[in-house]
Amino acid sequence: MGRFKSSNTAPEILVRKAIHRAGRRFRLHCKGLPGKPDIVLPRYKMALFVHGCFWHHHDNCHVAKIPRSNPDFWVSKFRVNKERDQRVAAELRRLGWTVEVIWECEAKDPAVLDSVLLERKIVEPSPLGKSR
Ligand SMILES: [Zn+2]
């Protein structure tokens, strides 16, 4: 059924680049943490997941359609995936981590991504007031 969780996906790389541009240090695929967060900002105790809209079934997202063939299979598959995401986030929070999700559809648009990163306090506004 193809891969569910893979490393170094295109949206992941876009998110890393944006965080790097904003001058924050991070680590990747932290195996010691529940759910192996895609990006970890140790100084801020923040764990980030870059989720594919289809596999993680992003609510109200046009990418997160339920395939027409075998819908029951997909509905239960998406439910399992979402439940796992929630369980992992809860475990991380219990360990004192802040958990944020960045969706594939948000990562694809650089302007949207920058504002999402600011909104979720993953990066800070540039002190120099640069327009990026
Ligand atoms: Zn989406």
Side-chain angles (χ1 to χ4, degrees):
M1 210 62 258
R3 65 221 169 133
F4 165 65
K5 167 99 183 168
S6 55
S7 301
N8 305 316
T9 59
E12 238 178 85
I13 290 164
L14 291 170
V15 172
R16 279 186 225 161
K17 283 191 177 153
I19 295 175
H20 183 78
R21 232 180 5 245
R24 289 230 154 145
R25 302 290 206 98
F26 54 84
R27 288 166 54 202
L28 301 176
H29 312 293
C30 206
K31 292 196 181 79
L33 291 174
K36 267 208 289 165
D38 297 315
I39 299 169
V40 170
L41 285 72
R43 187 191 289 188
Y44 306 93
K45 230 178 168 203
M46 195 179 269
L48 308 181
F49 291 92
V50 183
H51 278 349
C53 296
F54 178 75
W55 289 105
H56 297 264
H57 207 63
H58 188 196
D59 290 329
N60 304 317
C61 173
H62 69 283
V63 183
K65 277 189 190 129
I66 293 169
R68 237 173 275 184
S69 74
N70 215 350
D72 292 349
F73 165 81
W74 289 107
V75 165
S76 73
K77 172 130 193 97
F78 292 142
R79 197 183 51 235
V80 168
N81 289 353
K82 270 187 119 64
E83 281 168 3
R84 179 178 21 205
D85 292 341
Q86 282 162 7
R87 200 167 53 237
V88 162
E91 277 173 47
L92 284 164
R93 290 193 179 106
R94 208 161 32 234
L95 295 169
W97 289 81
T98 300
V99 181
E100 295 289 351
V101 171
I102 296 148
W103 292 96
E104 178 186 6
C105 63
E106 298 169 334
K108 273 186 198 154
D109 181 324
V112 171
L113 178 57
D114 281 346
S115 69
V116 159
L117 293 176
L118 281 171
E119 254 168 47
R120 295 177 199 161
K121 303 200 174 5
I122 297 162
V123 304
E124 282 181 331
S126 163
L128 303 173
K130 280 186 293 187
S131 62
R132 256 237 69 93

